[in-house]
Amino acid sequence: MQRRQSSKTPKQPLQVHHKNQTDLSAWRKGGRIDPEKSVQDHQSPNDQKNDSKQDSLEQALSYFEKVQDRVSLKKNDVLQKHLTTVETIALQRGLPPEGFDVLLNVALSGKLADTVNTRLLKSLVPASVIPETSVVSSVSWLCVSKCSDNVQLLFLRWLITVFDFIDHKEQLHALYGFFFSFLQDEKMCPYVCHLLYLLTRKESVKPFRIRRLLDLQAKMGMQPHLQALLSLYKLFCPQLVTINLPGKMKTYFKNSEGPWKAAINTVRRRNQENSPVSKPLLLGTAQPQSRKRKWNTQLIIPASSTNKNNLEEDREKNRVDLYSMNESFPVEQLQTFSQLLQNIHHLEFPSQMGSVLTNPLLLHYMNCIKDESIYLRLYYWMGQTLQEECTWCVADNNQYEEEFKDFLETVYKTECFLQEGFSSCEVFLYKSLPLWDGFCCRSQILRLVSWIPLSSFSEMKSHLYDPLAQLFFTSSLYFKCSVLESLKELLQNWLNWHVIHLDSDSDSEVHSLNTTLSGLVNVVAELIHFVGWISTVALRLENNPTFLLYFILDFYETVCDMYLRYNLPLLIMPPAGVFYPALLSMDSVSLNQLCYLMYRYRTNLVAAKENELSKKKILQFKFSSQTYQEYNQYIIAMVGCLWTSSAFQKDVHPQGLRMDDELLKKTTVQEFKTSFNIVYHPAMMGYAVLFLQQAWPDDTTFNFGLIKGKKWNWYLEYLYAQGLKGLKVFIESSINRVSQASHSKAGNVQV
Amino acid sequence: ENVDPQRTAFLLRKQWTLYSVTPLYRFSNARLRDYARLLSAFIAAEKQKGLAVEVGVELDIKVAVSSLPDLKGSDQDQAAILVQLSSRSPASPKNSEEKLIWSGWFCCVSGDDLSENVPEDFTCLPLFLANGAESYTSIVGNWFQKTFDCCFRRLAISPLHLSWMAAMWTGCKVDKTACAMELVFSVPRLPQPLDISYAIHPEDAKALWDTVQKTPGEITQEEVDVFMDCLYSHFHRHFKIHLSATKLVKVSTAIASAHCDGIIKFLQSQYLTGVLMLLTELAISRIQ
């Protein structure tokens, strides 16, 4: 048997899902690579208008970069236009990192009127991160007091709200003293306290600062914001802060979330939808709000965070670093593939396995680690989430269909990435398909179907085939085609799985019950028979549309090559209900496709026969003689139909075209004998007409009889040149042309 | 049953909201005190978002995590875990009385179906019951979800299971003169909600059930159907209303009362584990 035959064929089976592999380079964050770009790379292609938006944003930014002093908003349409652009894009998609420098500079420099500055500051919603440098330069503007108090306050509130979005904080920490000096401004004091609270580290706590805070407290009285900062200082350095602070306060800081919080959440949700790469580092303010009343039913894929369950017994040690970990590398810091490679020996999975779905690096890691508990954790989480969020199984869930779609999409992408179906998805599909209307989340559900793992037929029949068939027969043509497409992918995924396991398990004899070769052959055969059955019925129901036929024949393109491409000892011919509609199709595309199929069937059957005859090893599986017989019946019909004009006489298939001459005469069709060959076949006649026009431009009688002898060969060459490659390989392989001169004596080769 | 009634008495006569919970990953019974400490810090952090919280200091809300070894059905069952939140009055932090504000417990009674099939790293406590403000349930639940990678889901009880409970509990012996058995039905698709309450004298109900049940100690779906049909036809004879066309939403007996939304109240400590066994089974059927 040719083991690696599959790799020689032009279409490699394993590349089928290549397009869904997540681009690793896009995962790299920070550094010189612009994270915003990676977000945009993943936006759906139908979002074309993003490009024009991007352009207008760039224009607006370059305008603000160059804007001169004292431009009045009322009189300047250009300013108005660019301001509106910035506002709209900021609220819809957030601003890219490079935008902050420009906008903060202009807003804080006092060049423009305060209304403009305020509007600019209010639209500073980050799409991904905010560069630290832009924040540092704004602080320098703050120090030269070019802007009004209100703008200063607004800037501080903004800084507090977006603190977690700033990409680095080292330089910001270096400015601790500057911020501290702003404390003396009474209006700014509460916000500065809050900011310092966020910035304070142990080394920031200095005796002179404590004194200053105590002085301020003496001057302004017991202010909650001052107490908050003092209590934090006391937490870090209890020996330095000796005063008694009153018990717990309800709120230390005024709500400084301002106008940004809601916009940030919206933008973040939107960007997360568009990108398979989540931003696991965004914590705190960026946490999406619970949208549903029930606390445990939010469809949020958890962020990757280190498993904190490894806490130490020693309480004193815990005081030093709150949750001390072992030597393991924190998943939050895992950003690049090289980091993954360097730390793979001491990496630990995040505390919630569900977070791997949006983290390609962890998925790579998951691929390397074969640990049952990983899959089990994922199984429980995914199973529960799918059941709880299913929009047609749970009442009142239908308003969240979009979110559920996104979730299913993420699950599907993960399956493509891992090249493996999740058993929790399988269980979910089996439970929910009988209740499915075939409409809700259609493409997502059908794509998940294509990743159902191999299992025993009895299960597949009652759980998958029966509910699917019911929907299939009662739904639109488009739905039928989608089902056929996903069943083709299901078949390909099974076959790929088989090929991979042929290689990896070649030494070991260990197979679970349903993955033995005979088990696999049976399950695959059942799938193909199922598709044959629904295809036959669908062609009748829909009256043989070419569109449907295309999807059906596409399925059989995988089937006809299973022996050579996937090394599976199984070939199944399409049922007559598929073969004859394709053969008699009015469309050359279907006929050409059928020709290609028959050529591949022939190649596979000949190869199988040769293997059988050479008997190098005792074959466990042989194709039944019935397969050969069916193939031969079909080939006779085809040759009769396309070449020898003898379809009505020679077809021996019980459901075939054979008809008595008496009956044919009653149809009153003249020359019924020649009415099916490559000239007269309804799918080919169009070509014949064009050929006649080119060969005999003056002849307007359309005398098809002229195409014979040498012209017949020219006509063939003409057809091949028109792209009928399937016809070409079929005629060249299956029709034995006795002599190039005479076409009428051509016969067919039977295998 | 071998439960010391004293030690589980506090679970009785309270409304518990039911959840199913997937197996806890790397949960250790030996570290309950640590968990209490971390959970209390987590609660404090959740309550004052964005502010630093020190682990282990005295906080407004005290968390106790303890084990309830009595609540077990089989040897394979994990001991139940009780989580209690109590508040200290801020006025006098020392020595003041602690007030229980929320409690919840995980348990597994005869959950062998699940625990037999799960690797060592996992702890099976598929049933969670909570009493107190939902905001605390949310915080505690989230902490468990984050720390032990598990999933909480509200456990609703279907009308089918409610009718099972009605039949099973009718057959149970109760020492004192018991209160009436009450079934509440809700009529669907009406402009205004309409509930029908159907109260039956417990002895009458028991007499009916005894005629229906063929083998003592064994109940079949058929018997439950017959029992309910008898009650329905009796009701129809008097009020000309077909209860079979309505939805059974609540069952109250002397043993316990259960609501279809997944709320239960235990009334008899001797039948506590029996009821929990049934609920464990329901929870497991949802997570497998």
Side-chain angles (χ1 to χ4, degrees), chain A residues 2 104 167 202 265 324 469 564:
Chain A
Q2 297 114 304
L104 280 169
D167 54 359
K202 196 173 180 190
N265 285 337
S324 70
L564 288 177

Side-chain angles (χ1 to χ4, degrees), chain B residues 17 24 29 32 41 53 80 86 102 136 156 172-173 198 209 229 255 273 288:
Chain B
T17 309
L24 311 180
N29 263 314
L32 298 185
V53 170
S86 37
W102 182 93
Y136 287 112
C172 294
K173 287 194 194 79
Y198 183 178
W209 175 246
D229 284 345
I255 309 297
T273 46
Q288 258 183 336

Side-chain angles (χ1 to χ4, degrees), chain A residues 11 488 491-492 550-562 565-566 592-594 596-597 600-601 604:
Chain A
K11 275 190 195 169
K488 181 195 80 183
L491 176 65
Q492 285 177 341
Y550 172 79
F551 281 90
I552 295 170
L553 296 178
D554 194 36
F555 180 83
Y556 280 98
E557 253 180 58
T558 305
V559 176
C560 69
D561 246 351
M562 287 192 302
R565 270 176 75 188
Y566 298 94
N592 184 55
Q593 228 178 336
L594 182 70
Y596 176 76
L597 286 183
R600 289 308 303 172
Y601 271 119
N604 278 262

Side-chain angles (χ1 to χ4, degrees), chain A residues 212-227:
Chain A
R212 181 91 191 102
L213 283 180
L214 291 174
D215 285 351
L216 278 172
Q217 178 155 299
K219 200 172 94 191
M220 303 204 258
M222 299 270 265
Q223 298 293 337
H225 45 268
L226 288 174
Q227 277 173 13

